[in-house]
């Protein structure tokens, strides 16, 4: 009973509450940005949209920012348990700079998704130049859509996907295996956990090229899938069901 009260106080301490509120604010602001940008694109005349096919360095940077914020919006909810567990363990072990360590853990995590966003932005540019994506950032080639769906579905069964998913689903296992003390250790742990999340979810993010990079329904749907895979008791089994559905959908598109 005493240990339960101590754990409760740890999770609901002022610092923990501030961390929860910070993560909530980051998520809300990120989604607000996406909704605002999607609304602006929807109101833009078709002629103006077509001009986006010729990318400038400034437009590339804008797309990189968009991808980065979109990844933060989609991944923060599923990363929150890991972030809070890091903070709890650091606090219980009376480590100096718990708040700063938590912030650095988050920074490392976000940085991995920024790197992923750089790759995704480059890929989007190449796909648009190849006319595989429409001016509204969605696939306009059924064979391409089918190939992406099949590839994403097959990846759901791969050993890499399953290994990364197990680490994303087991925050305590991750903490036990990869704990590093100090502020630099917090940053490295955030990088490592982010890398596992990229390995777990990158193929699902590729589905944005099929449904639409700025389609809010597609973005929200993938975010929910990621959350359920990581948090549900049967998340690993669900990931394979998603893989089967993706493969079947891809085959139908190609045929």
């Amino acid at each position: 009973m005493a240990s339960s009260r101590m754990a409760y106080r740890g999770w609901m301490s002022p610092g923990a509450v501030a961390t929860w509120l910070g993560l909530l604010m980051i998520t809300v602001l990120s989604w607000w940005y996406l909704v605002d940008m999607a609304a602006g694109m929807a109101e833009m005349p078709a002629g103006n949209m077509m001009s986006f096919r010729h990318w400038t360095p400034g437009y590339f940077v804008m797309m990189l920012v968009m991808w980065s914020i979109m990844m933060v919006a989609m991944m923060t909810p599923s990363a929150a348990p890991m972030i809070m567990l890091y903070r709890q363990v650091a606090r219980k072990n009376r480590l100096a700079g718990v708040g700063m360590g938590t912030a650095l853990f988050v920074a490392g995590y976000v940085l991995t998704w920024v790197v992923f966003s750089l790759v995704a932005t480059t890929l989007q540019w190449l796909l648009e130049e190849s006319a595989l994506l429409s001016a509204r950032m969605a696939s306009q080639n059924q064979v391409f859509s089918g190939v992406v769906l099949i590839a994403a579905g097959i990846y759901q069964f791969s050993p890499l996907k399953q290994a990364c998913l197990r680490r994303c689903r087991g925050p305590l296992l991750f903490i036990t295996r990869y704990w590093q003390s100090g502020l630099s250790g917090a940053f490295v742990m955030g990088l490592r956990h982010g890398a596992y999340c990229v390995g777990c979810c990158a193929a699902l993010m590729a589905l944005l090229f099929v449904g639409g990079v700025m389609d809010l329904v597609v973005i929200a749907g993938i975010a929910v899938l990621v959350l359920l895979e990581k948090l549900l008791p049967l998340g690993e089994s669900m990931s394979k069901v998603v893989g089967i559905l993706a493969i079947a959908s891809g085959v139908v598109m190609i045929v």
Side-chain angles (χ1 to χ4, degrees), residues 227-252:
L227 188 65
L228 295 180
E229 274 192 358
K230 291 185 179 183
L231 300 185
L232 280 186
L234 297 177
E236 292 185 45
S237 299
M238 194 195 77
S239 72
K240 295 176 181 178
V241 172
V242 170
I244 293 172
L245 293 175
I247 293 170
S249 299
V251 170
V252 170

Side-chain angles (χ1 to χ4, degrees), residues 40-54 135-136:
M41 290 178 62
E43 295 172 359
M44 194 171 294
N48 290 348
M49 286 293 296
M50 290 301 294
S51 66
F52 285 176
R53 295 299 295 277
H54 303 289
R136 294 190 177 274

Side-chain angles (χ1 to χ4, degrees), residues 5-24:
R5 285 197 298 269
M6 290 178 64
Y8 177 79
R9 285 198 297 269
W11 284 104
M12 298 306 296
S13 66
V17 171
T19 303
W20 279 116
L21 291 176
L23 294 174
L24 178 61

Side-chain angles (χ1 to χ4, degrees), residues 116-174:
F116 170 83
S117 298
L118 178 60
V119 175
T121 303
T122 303
L123 185 56
Q124 181 184 337
W125 168 56
L126 294 174
L127 291 172
E128 287 195 16
E129 289 295 317
S130 302
L132 291 173
L133 294 185
S134 70
R136 294 190 177 274
M137 308 181 202
S139 172
Q140 56 185 1
N141 184 296
Q142 280 194 301
V143 174
F144 169 72
S145 297
V147 169
V148 172
L149 283 163
I150 291 172
I154 291 174
Y155 185 75
Q156 293 291 96
F157 293 90
S158 70
L160 179 59
K161 161 73 180 191
Q162 295 303 314
C164 291
L165 180 58
R166 282 193 295 273
R167 284 161 176 79
C168 288
R169 285 175 52 81
L172 186 57
L173 173 64
F174 179 88

Side-chain angles (χ1 to χ4, degrees), residues 205-238:
M205 298 305 173
L207 299 180
L208 290 165
F209 292 125
V210 176
V213 173
M214 280 305 297
D215 188 308
L216 294 177
V217 175
V218 176
I219 295 171
I222 295 174
V224 170
L225 278 178
V226 168
L227 188 65
L228 295 180
E229 274 192 358
K230 291 185 179 183
L231 300 185
L232 280 186
L234 297 177
E236 292 185 45
S237 299
M238 194 195 77

